[in-house]
Every structure is written in structure tokens, then in C-alpha cells.
Amino acid sequence: GQQLNQSPQSMFIQEGEDVSMNCTSSSIFNTWLWYKQDPGEGPVLLIALYKAGELTSNGRLTAQFGITRKDSFLNISASIPSDVGIYFCAGQSITSGTYKYIFGTGTRLKVLA
Amino acid sequence: DVKVTQSSRYLVKRTGEKVFLECVQDMDHENMFWYRQDPGLGLRLIYFSYDVKMKEKGDIPEGYSVSREKKERFSLILESASTNQTSMYLCASSSFLDRGGNQPQHFGDGTRLSIL
């Protein structure tokens, strides 16, 4: 199945730093989602984006739906130790079918205190 | 809040056994999904269902089947478990009626299945 290109694959940052990650696709998407997964748990929805250019925040997290509809970005400001985890993007395209999402391979974030 | 409950967090079975993984959601969602998650491969869709008694194959259906007899419950069945089916299995659900079918998927906590 199709996969999104998510980068970086992993990152180590110092507490207090800002974090940026992104996903790109060869397909045009009409919905972008961002999830966080803690070890041993299921993914938890952070932000949902439905329009090209949309910028949405959830606390220290901000995500944007790219203008081209082929990419999305997630930023975390002033990182803290509990931000550790794997962050996934997911997109829904017209060609993927109404019910299905395509998932990125994840960005593993580690925060150094 | 949406609650998706998977019956077991950890499960150990033997090769050749028939294995049932159960998932229940409490939000009256139409759509339900089963994924497996493996290191470096991300989430891969096994099967999904958009209505009771309806099912569609995902990207990797081989060796699996599903059952959706009630709207809130979606079961994944490993017909004859094999060691390459050792994985983390995630169930998800979503609503279809709003936003033209673009509702986000909400996940359970996963079942870590080991086949010996």
C-alpha cells in the first residue's frame, strides 16, 4: 500500500527547544491528521486539518495543511520530556477511498532534559 | 470522548491456533478498521468495515478474516496463526456521516500478539 514520506525519522532535542516535522505525498489529500503514540499505547489524535492552508493549534502544537495539498507540517514549541513518543501523520486522498487513511512511518522524538 | 476498547493488551498463542482479537467502540461509529504495526513498516491496513456485516480487504488481508455482527464490535481472526503474524494489532473507528466521510480515526490501545 501507499505510504507517506515522513521526516525526520527520529530526532533528539533538548528540553525547551522547538520541533518541526513534516509529511509529503505524491497524491493530493483532502484531510491531514497528526497522531502521537506513547510506548505500548495506541495512537492518540492531536490535530485534524481539512482545508488547504489551514493552520490549527492544540496547546503547544501547531499543524498546517500545505497549500499544494500534498504536504503537512507539525510544530511543537518549547518541548518538554512528556513530548517523547512517535508522531504519525495520516492523509486521506480522493484515490484512497472514502474510509481509508494512509499513514506515515512516524517520527520518533526524544527529549533530553 | 471516543472509547475504543481492545479485549487484550498482550496475547501469546501457538502456531496453528485460531486467534480472535476483539474490538468494541462506544460512539456508534459506522467505520471500523484493523491495522498491524511493525517496526519500520508503519501501520498497515488489514481489513475495514463500513457497516454491519460489511467488510473490505485492506492492504494485507492474507491470513486474516473479520467479523462485524454488531455495529459496535469488530473482530479480527487469525485462521491459523503463524510466527510472521507476531505484531502489534490496532483497532480504530470513525464516523462517516459528518464532513462527507473525512472523520478522523480513533484508536484502541492495541494488542501485542506473540505467536510461538
Side-chain angles (χ1 to χ4, degrees):
Chain A
Q2 183 181 353
Q3 292 267 334
L4 298 178
N5 294 316
Q6 185 171 351
S7 65
Q9 288 188 350
S10 64
M11 50 195 315
F12 289 78
I13 60 168
Q14 292 286 339
E15 184 177 358
E17 287 184 357
D18 296 343
V19 174
S20 291
M21 59 192 78
N22 69 83
C23 280
T24 59
S25 169
S26 57
S27 304
I28 291 176
F29 282 178
N30 51 12
T31 304
W32 282 97
L33 308 175
W34 284 93
Y35 291 88
K36 183 193 177 197
Q37 185 176 24
D38 292 325
E41 307 287 332
V44 174
L45 181 68
L46 299 174
I47 293 176
L49 303 162
Y50 300 103
K51 293 182 183 178
E54 182 179 355
L55 187 71
T56 298
S57 293
N58 178 4
R60 293 178 295 106
L61 278 63
T62 302
Q64 185 164 24
F65 194 140
I67 290 292
T68 65
R69 297 173 66 189
K70 291 185 177 182
D71 55 9
S72 180
F73 306 87
L74 176 70
N75 296 315
I76 305 172
S77 62
S79 58
I80 59 178
S82 62
D83 290 334
V84 164
I86 303 176
Y87 292 80
F88 290 98
C89 61
Q92 188 180 60
S93 74
I94 296 170
T95 58
S96 76
T98 305
Y99 315 103
K100 297 196 304 182
Y101 279 87
I102 302 166
F103 287 82
T105 51
T107 295
R108 186 180 297 272
L109 178 64
K110 296 190 178 182
V111 179
L112 305 174
Chain B
D1 282 350
V2 176
K3 184 69 173 177
V4 179
T5 303
Q6 294 183 229
S7 54
S8 303
R9 293 296 298 273
Y10 301 93
L11 206 54
V12 180
K13 296 290 182 182
R14 296 205 173 273
T15 303
E17 281 192 68
K18 190 169 186 176
V19 181
F20 294 85
L21 302 183
E22 306 287 345
C23 176
V24 176
Q25 50 93 6
D26 67 355
M27 286 302 292
D28 202 36
H29 283 172
E30 293 78 14
N31 308 321
M32 296 189 74
F33 307 80
W34 274 106
Y35 295 88
R36 64 177 284 177
Q37 183 178 31
D38 301 289
L41 297 178
L43 275 72
R44 293 182 291 168
L45 181 63
I46 304 172
Y47 267 97
F48 65 102
S49 167
Y50 53 88
D51 201 353
V52 176
K53 297 191 184 295
M54 304 298 288
K55 60 184 179 183
E56 288 200 23
K57 293 180 179 179
D59 300 318
I60 52 164
E62 297 79 18
Y64 303 94
S65 62
V66 290
S67 172
R68 187 138 181 231
E69 296 296 319
K70 294 183 178 181
K71 191 175 185 181
E72 67 271 17
R73 186 180 297 272
F74 193 35
S75 303
L76 179 69
I77 303 157
L78 285 66
E79 297 292 343
S80 177
S82 63
T83 55
N84 63 10
Q85 291 178 310
T86 291
S87 186
M88 173 74 143
Y89 288 86
L90 290 163
C91 174
S93 72
S94 70
S95 173
F96 175 65
L97 293 178
D98 297 333
R99 292 185 176 273
N102 293 343
Q103 282 293 306
Q105 294 180 11
H106 297 270
F107 286 85
D109 283 337
T111 296
R112 189 165 292 282
L113 175 65
S114 296
I115 307 296
L116 305 179

